[in-house]
Amino acid sequence: MKNVLVIFYSQSGQLKSIAQNIAKPFLNSDEIKVTFHEIKLEKPFPFPWNKDSFFDAFPESFLQIPTTLKPVPNEILNTKFDLVLFHYQVWYLSPSIPINSFLRSEEGKKILNNTPVVTINGSRNMWFMAQEKIKVLLRESNAQLVGNIALVDRVGNLISVLTIVEWMFSGVKKKYLGFFPLPGVSEKDIQESTKFGETILSQFHQNKLNDLQPKLVAADAVRISPYLVTVDKTANKIFNKWSNFIYKNPKKRKQLLKIFYIYLFLAIWLISPIVYILHLISYPFKLKTIKKETQYYQGV
């Protein structure tokens, strides 16, 4: 009997649904014992969010400053797992605070030590740099990253900003103003994610997890947008300055967060369209770089 651990943190329930669907093939196997672990905080973040709490999470999210988690059950801590399916979401271009906290914890490091891991992220659209940060934390835990799946909101960048923010602030997954598309990863993509579980299970049975990622890519598990890669890299540099400045000035935190909100609004609605136009103009001259980046971010 082999042991597989499914780890996730979910506020809205979206990532929990993804975790359950990807795990279905494993649950149907008599040769595998599947254990689910939902990361929980001692002091949970609110859901739905309000504006103040949403932006107050920015500095610690980006700087990957951990918070206190509820203990992992002893049954999990005392089991050696043959595979971990690790689900996470992106907050402010970094792994969410609960996910970051788990990866930095002694319990998390013990569980992941010398263990194959498949990362599965459910995000709005920009996950590239967050995955790079996940890689660093997995290496620090001596984990073996063997696969990655990226499930994203497929609608346009600016439309998804509107719909996701409405969802986060209302707590209800609905069509914004009655006609915008539903926010988040589509229900179709969530339901069809079972195919990724089948791919992972097949390689797992054959002891060929080191050959897993090309199989996942062939199954359309990782789509790359060169434009969003560029935005993600650029925004990380800017967020690094903002987050450090706010975090190091606690007495001015509220005022600085208000200024950051204004900056973010302008960046999304004024600067990003200009960046997109420039990207389209320069695209033919960057084909080699784009091809190289695509191959990199589709890998592990």
Side-chain angles (χ1 to χ4, degrees):
M1 182 71 71
K2 291 189 175 181
N3 293 296
V4 173
L5 178 62
V6 180
I7 299 174
F8 67 94
Y9 168 79
S10 185
Q11 285 185 306
S12 68
Q14 175 178 271
L15 208 54
K16 182 177 181 178
S17 182
I18 291 170
Q20 290 171 334
N21 276 278
I22 290 180
K24 278 182 180 178
F26 290 88
L27 291 166
N28 292 333
S29 174
D30 295 331
E31 302 172 11
I32 298 172
K33 179 183 178 183
V34 179
T35 303
F36 286 83
H37 174 61
E38 181 175 5
I39 297 170
K40 294 185 178 181
L41 284 67
E42 286 289 355
K43 185 180 179 182
F45 288 99
F47 189 80
W49 296 79
N50 57 53
K51 182 179 174 182
D52 288 342
S53 61
F54 186 81
F55 286 99
D56 191 57
F58 162 63
E60 285 76 12
S61 292
F62 185 81
L63 296 173
Q64 301 179 75
I65 296 171
T67 189
T68 306
L69 303 177
K70 290 189 175 181
V72 177
N74 285 328
E75 180 185 355
I76 292 176
L77 285 176
N78 296 328
T79 300
K80 176 56 183 173
F81 291 95
D82 300 287
L83 176 66
V84 172
L85 303 180
F86 191 85
H87 303 73
Y88 74 95
Q89 55 291 84
V90 179
W91 290 6
Y92 292 105
L93 309 182
S94 289
S96 69
I97 292 175
I99 291 298
N100 165 64
S101 301
F102 177 85
L103 290 173
R104 292 182 181 277
S105 70
E106 291 306 313
E107 291 181 327
K109 290 178 180 179
K110 179 180 179 181
I111 291 168
L112 298 174
N113 180 47
N114 196 31
T115 304
V117 176
V118 176
T119 50
I120 300 107
N121 76 75
S123 57
R124 186 174 74 86
N125 56 20
M126 281 184 283
W127 55 269
F128 316 100
M129 296 301 104
Q131 179 68 7
E132 293 301 293
K133 297 168 188 178
I134 287 281
K135 288 179 184 178
V136 172
L137 294 170
L138 289 176
R139 283 196 295 268
E140 290 176 355
S141 297
N142 193 35
Q144 304 163 13
L145 179 61
V146 296
N148 179 51
I149 298 167
L151 295 171
V152 301
D153 190 335
R154 295 186 187 272
V155 303
N157 186 40
L158 296 182
I159 292 176
S160 71
V161 170
L162 288 172
T163 58
I164 295 267
V165 168
E166 167 64 19
W167 183 20
M168 295 300 100
F169 286 2
S170 70
V172 181
K173 190 172 186 178
K174 61 182 179 180
K175 290 188 175 183
Y176 180 51
L177 298 179
F179 63 87
F180 279 93
L182 285 171
V185 180
S186 72
E187 189 60 30
K188 181 176 182 288
D189 283 348
I190 292 174
Q191 294 301 319
E192 291 182 354
S193 66
T194 301
K195 67 183 180 182
F196 303 132
E198 293 169 351
T199 300
I200 299 168
L201 179 61
S202 175
Q203 296 298 111
F204 185 56
H205 277 320
Q206 299 176 63
N207 293 315
K208 292 184 178 179
L209 285 174
N210 288 333
D211 301 324
L212 171 62
Q213 190 60 19
K215 306 284 186 183
L216 289 173
V217 172
D220 202 25
V222 186
R223 292 188 180 187
I224 304 298
S225 165
Y227 161 66
L228 291 176
V229 169
T230 300
V231 174
D232 200 345
K233 287 182 176 180
T234 304
N236 261 267
K237 295 176 182 177
I238 297 170
F239 276 20
N240 183 53
K241 294 178 180 179
W242 270 107
S243 59
N244 274 293
F245 186 50
I246 294 169
Y247 187 73
K248 292 176 181 178
N249 290 275
K251 293 182 179 179
K252 299 180 180 179
R253 183 180 178 106
K254 288 186 177 180
Q255 296 94 317
L256 292 174
L257 283 170
K258 289 180 180 178
I259 298 171
F260 171 71
Y261 164 74
I262 296 170
Y263 163 79
L264 193 60
F265 180 87
L266 294 174
I268 291 171
W269 296 103
L270 294 180
I271 300 174
S272 68
I274 296 172
V275 172
Y276 183 64
I277 293 171
L278 293 174
H279 167 76
L280 292 178
I281 294 172
S282 63
Y283 185 85
F285 307 101
K286 300 191 298 182
L287 290 177
K288 287 185 178 180
T289 300
I290 289 171
K291 183 179 180 180
K292 186 177 180 181
E293 284 187 339
T294 298
Q295 290 175 338
Y296 176 78
Y297 291 113
Q298 284 185 326
V300 292

